[in-house]
Amino acid sequence: MVTDLSAPVTGRPERRPELDVLRMVVVLGLVFFHASLVFDTRDDFYVKNAETTEAVTVLVALCVVWAMPALFLVSGLGSWHSLRRRGPGGFAVQRLLRLGVPLVFATLVLLPFPQWIRAGAEPSYAAFWPRFFEVRVELAEFPFVLRGEHYETGHLWFVLLLLVFSLMLAALARLVPPGAAARVRALVGAAAGRRGAVLLLPAVPLALISALLGLEEGFGGWHRWAYLLFFLYGFALAADDRLRQAMRADAAVAAVLGVALVGAGLPMFLVAGEAPGADPFLDLTPLATAGRALYGAAGWCWVVAILGLTDRRRPGRERSAGGGKRRVRAYLEEAVLPVYVLHQPVVVGVAYVVVGWHAPIWAGYAAIVVISFAVVFAVYELLVRRTRVTRFLFGMR
């Protein structure tokens, strides 16, 4: 049956616990990821250790190729169900409250801190804070239209992009007639019936965007409009169960192909960056372009593999889980957005102290990770989740 996206419906969608787990793994993994950048030779992180290592570059590449794309895809999948329940207007309002409020709050309260640390913690934070908001408007950089010497969206680029994508989707759902939506779904369903189509066809636009538009290092190693594709792919995945079945069928092949593409593309990318003045993220040299194309295709393969291989839950398994396990998972699911908002300023502050210890890399890294987790969850537990006001400011229900 063809559904009208502009009409809200009742009923709850099927719960897919593996997607909740994936969301938690990515967000919690960002603490490990950003802590590693303190020791990376190439990345210009807010705090740098005196001793760095090239090994971090390879490990980082293996994370960025799938983590944030998977997060956008899962967000797109959830958007289908939210849009169907609330309608375009209700969906837009819900996203403005859940994403827009913490975006504004964190921009005012949290984002200046990492930049202050980057500036050497001078002058005083009170003197630096207003300098952070000395901005100009550059519409060509949409949706990151505010620019300044110190201003940045920081790690909240994900929240901003997700909010913009959601509002674009709400507007599109109101404008597109049901007949057009039905025709698109018919084409998608027909493609899903062909073995390998779900694996190969979506990878082509991602490869082209990565190759021709480049990669944006400050946005998780992908171009901003590539994330829009992952978001829309997730939306389409929720709209037609045949896509989910095709993803399960192609998962094993996607895993092998994803590893092969990274194995071929990463060396090309690294070699392209060794020339003086080279920028493999943006250069249109044959080696850099080919490396980015393989990277874009690999990202889709990894996402297909992860979602397809984890979509194996047996009926009743969720109900059989122990009460303690369910409570822990429910606690972490609720904490995902606040932890995302909090984690990077905390990691930067902790790293600023730890690098002064002049410890071996492994010891410094372990200290940053452990202390950062302790601080993030202490702040979440004691200052965020206990009052209605703070829950609202951090996008919690």
Side-chain angles (χ1 to χ4, degrees):
M1 182 179 68
V2 176
T3 55
D4 180 0
L5 287 178
S6 65
V9 297
T10 58
R12 303 295 295 182
E14 175 194 357
R15 191 73 177 180
R16 293 185 60 181
E18 77 276 7
L19 300 182
D20 296 325
V21 172
L22 178 60
R23 188 186 296 111
M24 288 185 287
V25 167
V26 172
V27 171
L28 295 178
L30 288 172
V31 174
F32 294 92
F33 173 77
H34 284 124
S36 72
L37 297 183
V38 177
F39 307 94
D40 185 22
T41 302
R42 295 171 182 258
D43 191 89
D44 180 27
F45 197 58
Y46 303 93
V47 179
K48 300 301 292 187
N49 194 55
E51 183 183 1
T52 58
T53 173
E54 291 277 357
V56 175
T57 302
V58 177
L59 294 176
V60 164
L62 296 178
C63 294
V64 299
V65 72
W66 66 269
M68 297 309 293
L71 207 55
F72 275 103
L73 187 137
V74 172
S75 299
L77 196 151
S79 294
W80 163 265
H81 299 294
S82 181
L83 184 60
R84 292 284 293 125
R85 279 201 314 276
R86 297 180 172 90
F91 173 71
V93 170
Q94 187 265 350
R95 286 305 171 105
L96 284 169
L97 292 175
R98 183 157 169 76
L99 298 174
V101 171
L103 177 62
V104 172
F105 172 75
T107 298
L108 294 173
V109 177
L110 299 177
L111 287 189
F113 178 75
Q115 285 290 70
W116 179 62
I117 294 295
R118 188 197 295 274
E122 293 181 356
S124 67
Y125 188 67
F128 177 83
W129 189 86
R131 297 184 185 180
F132 180 81
F133 296 101
E134 294 175 356
V135 299
R136 63 186 182 277
V137 176
E138 292 186 10
L139 296 179
E141 293 296 323
F142 179 84
F144 304 97
V145 296
L146 297 181
R147 295 281 168 171
E149 180 182 356
H150 300 292
Y151 179 84
E152 64 169 11
T153 55
H155 66 297
L156 296 182
W157 62 264
F158 166 73
V159 180
L160 176 58
L161 280 181
L162 185 55
L163 176 60
V164 170
F165 294 166
S166 299
L167 296 178
M168 291 168 62
L169 180 62
L172 184 64
R174 188 175 291 277
L175 294 174
V176 174
R183 288 192 292 271
V184 171
R185 290 189 65 194
L187 291 174
V188 170
R194 298 180 180 274
R195 186 64 188 273
V198 171
L199 176 59
L200 298 176
L201 293 181
V204 174
L206 290 168
L208 290 174
I209 287 178
S210 300
L212 302 179
L213 299 184
L215 306 176
E216 299 185 279
E217 190 173 4
F219 303 143
W222 285 83
H223 195 277
R224 66 195 72 178
W225 300 121
Y227 287 130
L228 176 59
L229 287 183
F230 281 110
F231 179 78
L232 294 176
Y233 289 165
F235 187 80
L237 177 62
D240 197 316
D241 196 58
R242 289 172 292 183
L243 294 174
R244 180 180 176 182
Q245 296 170 9
M247 190 170 282
R248 287 198 299 263
D250 290 339
V253 175
V256 175
L257 186 58
V259 172
L261 290 172
V262 168
L266 183 57
M268 298 169 67
F269 187 85
L270 295 176
V271 171
E274 291 180 352
D279 183 358
F281 287 86
L282 298 173
D283 288 346
L284 293 177
T285 61
L287 199 59
T289 303
R292 292 197 302 267
L294 294 178
Y295 172 90
W300 176 244
C301 290
W302 282 51
V303 170
V304 170
I306 291 169
L307 266 67
L309 293 174
T310 56
D311 188 11
R312 296 289 190 273
R313 184 171 65 91
R314 297 175 182 176
R317 180 178 176 184
E318 185 67 15
R319 292 190 295 271
S320 66
K325 183 178 179 180
R326 288 198 300 269
R327 285 192 295 271
V328 170
R329 206 180 77 183
Y331 179 88
L332 293 176
E333 286 175 8
E334 188 178 47
V336 162
L337 182 56
V339 167
Y340 183 90
V341 171
L342 289 168
H343 84 277
Q344 182 161 286
V346 171
V347 169
V348 171
V350 171
Y352 183 70
V353 175
V354 170
V355 296
W357 297 351
H358 304 292
I361 288 179
W362 67 268
Y365 177 72
I368 293 172
V369 169
V370 172
I371 297 172
S372 295
F373 269 122
V375 173
V376 166
F377 278 98
V379 172
Y380 169 70
E381 178 64 30
L382 300 175
L383 300 179
V384 175
R385 70 183 294 262
R386 294 181 178 271
T387 72
R388 290 184 178 179
V389 173
T390 51
R391 291 176 70 91
F392 174 73
L393 291 175
F394 279 85
M396 299 178 67
R397 296 182 178 88

